[in-house]
Amino acid sequence: MSKRCESVEKDRGKGQVREQERSRTPVIWIRADGNEEIATGHLVRCLTIGAALKREGARVWLLVSDHGSERLAEQFMRSYEPYVPDGICVLGSRFDDPDGERQTLEKIWEGTDGGSAPCCCPRPDFVLVDSYFATESYLSFLQARVPTGYLDDMLRFDPPVSLVVNYDVVIPEQFYRTQEEMGGQGEFGEEDDSETGAGVLRTLLLGPSFAPLRPQFAAVPYTIRKNVSRILVSTGGSDPCGAALALVRRFEADPVLSRLEWEVVIGSLNRDRDVLRQLAEEVPQLRLRENVSDMAELMRKCDLAVTAGGTTLYELCAVGVPSVVYSMAENQIAEAEAFASAGIGFYEGDVREETFGESETGDAARRQMDSACGETRGGEQSGKGHGIGVFDRITARLSALCGDYPLRLEQSEKMRCLTDGRGAQKIAKEILRLCR
């Protein structure tokens, strides 16, 4: 699997070796993390882009803050063989404080510290960052040394980098400056020494066609069947609000859904995993799926889906599975609402308005997560308000869709028009272009 370096080569330091490495093949650093607080989507989409880069012949190193992220990455990497990173570097930093790792990055970068850096990897031709906590100063620090890219879905600021990737359905007009609006050159560190003399390139890859989906999601054959028999439930890698368990309980009680099969996909950080495993032995409709290697094939077999916003929603669009959507984080609300406004998917609200009473593991730590599932925005509760709860609305919507074949057919056609499943390849090609 990963090949972490144990020490820095003492004779490495002065540029000649690195220049030879650069001339052989591009070296890409990808900076990402995954844990219960930020979930696992960052690692998955970065490994997907990394695999696309490997297919194009690049060398890829994954940089993570701690050993927890390293273990998660190694778990996910099994499904990307043989296109896995050349190495994983554990920085020994905090995932929520990228600025605090600058000195460590400098040591790795220079390779002249006598072995005190946590790992060694070749100096990069490009750095791709995927972190909610990246600041303008952190990105500027990287961009001053090498072309840098940023995966953005928070819209906190216009990142001072060469490449911006945002695959949201709706992006505020003129939020990101184009190269022309920036004067064409010189804003991001050193001048470009290419023949064009055009200065540092600025590329914007915006919209759903750039969603970094695994190759299995390209050109998936899918048919809308008149009779619904199977529902997919995807609740993310950590499921902090206990959505999987809450939905299973409601499906059991629903007169329509209780007659169907439920493909429930859970991640390794799901705190209700043991309870769900026990239920799977007792409830014949429940099929619990863990470590799914071919998610596209599983989706293809399902007639409906329920999912949180995020990459899984784009995967469902690529296949064409009519979907009911919920949110469980602030950045997912605008995304889910944008999908619904475009007539794609049915957004039923933010599950953080539900209580932790749904979970049999409702310990104090869980109630604290995210302010767990009960944060407010602007003094009002996130989601669609109270009355009937979000999980009940999801259940009712799924039940209604079972009897509406024309609507499911319409939804599937709209979804498949949104993305072709080849976003990761497009991102990889642009990164390699910027390396030249």
Side-chain angles (χ1 to χ4, degrees), residues 118-159:
C119 62
C120 68
C121 46
R123 181 176 292 183
D125 300 291
F126 191 94
V127 178
L128 179 64
V129 178
D130 184 1
S131 170
Y132 292 153
F133 303 98
T135 62
E136 290 183 81
S137 61
Y138 176 78
L139 295 173
S140 295
F141 162 80
L142 294 172
Q143 180 68 43
R145 289 155 178 78
V146 68
T148 299
Y150 184 57
L151 278 165
D152 186 23
D153 52 14
M154 296 293 284
L155 297 172
R156 293 176 297 134
F157 53 81
D158 183 6

Side-chain angles (χ1 to χ4, degrees), residues 50-67:
L53 286 162
K54 293 286 289 183
R55 286 186 177 90
E56 295 291 331
R59 301 167 68 198
V60 176
W61 266 259
L62 179 64
L63 280 64
V64 298
S65 62
D66 54 35
H67 291 293

Side-chain angles (χ1 to χ4, degrees), residues 133-211:
F133 303 98
T135 62
E136 290 183 81
S137 61
Y138 176 78
L139 295 173
S140 295
F141 162 80
L142 294 172
Q143 180 68 43
R145 289 155 178 78
V146 68
T148 299
Y150 184 57
L151 278 165
D152 186 23
D153 52 14
M154 296 293 284
L155 297 172
R156 293 176 297 134
F157 53 81
D158 183 6
V161 293
S162 297
L163 174 66
V164 178
V165 181
N166 184 330
Y167 52 91
D168 288 348
V169 174
V170 177
I171 299 171
E173 189 174 356
Q174 297 181 334
F175 182 84
Y176 300 112
R177 294 170 297 165
T178 64
Q179 183 164 340
E180 291 75 17
E181 290 170 334
M182 293 165 51
Q185 62 176 336
E187 291 218 11
F188 299 146
E190 298 179 0
E191 294 286 326
D192 179 29
D193 58 2
S194 67
E195 293 180 1
T196 64
V200 175
L201 297 177
R202 164 79 157 182
T203 302
L204 304 177
L205 302 182
L206 309 179
S209 67
F210 295 104

